[in-house]
Amino acid sequence: MRRRVAVVVKTILSKIPKRVVERAVQIGLGALADAASPVEGLRSLFRIENELYGLEGKLARDYGGGEHTKHRHMNYHAFFLKNIEAGDRVVDIGCGDGTVTRDIGGLENVVVLGIDQNAESVHTARCKNKNKNVSFVVGDALHDLPVENYDVVVLSNILEHIERRIDFLRKIVERMCPRTILIRVPMFDRDWRVPLKEEIGVEWRLDSTHQTEYTKESLVTELETAGCMVRQLEIRWGEIWARIEPRAKPARRGI
């Protein structure tokens, strides 16, 4: 039903000059804010803002030719690349369509495995991959972690999706014996609107599948509880980028 209504509305709007549509939306938003109590006005505007965020992400991907422009604007790939050494074995957990994984594969003598539970994303990653030292597999981050040595584990916007994150981090260390774990997570305190949304009962997370979003303090506490030490931490673009190491170095398996 919603899709049919959207098609009808899109057809109607296509016949009206965009500037007129934009002005009508502006007037409507002003009316929402003025006609209700502050709480109800905020709720309405925040719900619309959340919908716009999703639409903007879709259009940013289309504008980028299938790749979200955040890769280019935020340049977070560089954080991962500078913390990986020549000859490292790397696993990228939750690799999506492999954009970060393929960049890592361009480093000297690096071997990279990308894992994602979405078979369609893995198919796309394989189709785009040109590097023989990069491979992709379909697997669930909680149940299908490889039991073999990896020097570096990459978790790019993954940890926040996991419910039992401390157990997950411990399992990574136990199974893969990494020297380094590289983490990128969203911040709860990225903007004043986030706690306000939570306070008045509006979805505050960037993604409704997030189990948490972090402050610097909550992330460090969680990592230390999981037996990891923070060696480097940067706050960029409303996110935390961290390089961590297991406190106790597990015995690596013979290769």
Side-chain angles (χ1 to χ4, degrees):
M1 178 65 179
R2 181 177 179 180
R3 182 172 294 180
R4 289 200 297 270
V5 171
V7 170
V8 171
V9 171
K10 186 175 181 179
T11 301
I12 294 172
L13 292 179
S14 67
K15 302 180 184 301
I16 304 173
K18 283 187 172 55
R19 184 57 191 152
V20 174
V21 174
E22 291 171 1
R23 183 57 183 154
V25 170
Q26 291 168 0
I27 293 171
L29 292 175
L32 277 176
D34 293 339
S37 68
V39 171
E40 288 307 315
L42 284 167
R43 285 175 179 155
S44 295
L45 293 176
F46 282 150
R47 290 188 189 109
I48 292 169
E49 179 183 275
N50 289 346
E51 185 73 17
L52 287 173
Y53 180 80
L55 293 172
E56 289 162 355
K58 178 183 180 302
L59 290 175
R61 184 178 292 274
D62 293 343
Y63 174 72
E67 183 176 292
H68 200 300
T69 62
K70 66 184 178 182
H71 293 278
R72 172 165 54 88
H73 292 129
M74 296 169 67
N75 194 28
Y76 57 85
H77 295 212
F79 170 76
F80 298 120
L81 297 178
K82 74 180 181 182
N83 284 295
I84 296 171
E85 300 175 6
D88 275 346
R89 286 170 50 83
V90 182
V91 59
D92 183 4
I93 299 175
C95 65
D97 63 6
T99 306
V100 172
T101 322
R102 291 190 299 276
D103 262 8
I104 295 171
L107 296 173
E108 183 181 356
N109 295 326
V110 168
V111 176
V112 195
L113 173 67
I115 303 174
D116 199 276
Q117 65 181 355
N118 188 307
E120 185 176 342
S121 294
V122 170
H123 174 72
T124 299
R126 288 170 175 164
C127 290
K128 292 183 176 181
N129 183 41
K130 307 296 183 186
N131 297 325
K132 293 182 179 180
N133 59 325
V134 178
S135 58
F136 296 94
V137 297
V138 178
D140 183 272
L142 297 177
H143 305 109
D144 300 319
L145 294 179
V147 184
E148 55 183 295
N149 295 341
Y150 282 94
D151 301 293
V152 181
V153 174
V154 173
L155 300 172
S156 180
N157 275 178
I158 298 303
L159 198 56
E160 65 272 15
H161 291 273
I162 306 297
E163 183 176 3
R164 300 182 64 175
R165 295 175 297 281
I166 291 172
D167 290 343
F168 175 63
L169 288 167
R170 287 172 175 165
K171 183 183 289 187
I172 285 174
V173 173
E174 178 186 344
R175 291 196 173 197
M176 292 181 280
C177 309
R179 178 190 73 243
T180 300
I181 303 174
L182 302 175
I183 292 174
R184 169 177 165 250
V185 294
M187 294 186 70
F188 174 80
D189 48 354
R190 62 186 176 273
D191 188 279
W192 62 269
R193 289 171 294 183
V194 181
L196 178 54
K197 285 180 180 180
E198 183 183 38
E199 186 175 302
I200 64 176
V202 176
E203 178 59 72
W204 53 271
R205 298 165 294 180
L206 289 170
D207 185 323
S208 61
T209 65
H210 287 180
Q211 298 295 319
T212 190
E213 293 183 0
Y214 289 93
T215 63
K216 175 183 175 182
E217 292 76 18
S218 69
L219 177 63
V220 170
T221 297
E222 191 170 281
L223 295 173
E224 289 179 346
T225 303
C228 297
M229 300 178 291
V230 177
R231 292 303 193 189
Q232 179 184 352
L233 187 147
E234 302 178 19
I235 294 176
R236 303 276 188 93
W237 299 97
E239 296 184 334
I240 305 172
W241 306 348
R243 176 173 62 86
I244 68 174
E245 297 175 3
R247 184 177 291 113
K249 305 294 185 185
R252 292 174 69 83
R253 301 169 186 84
I255 299 178

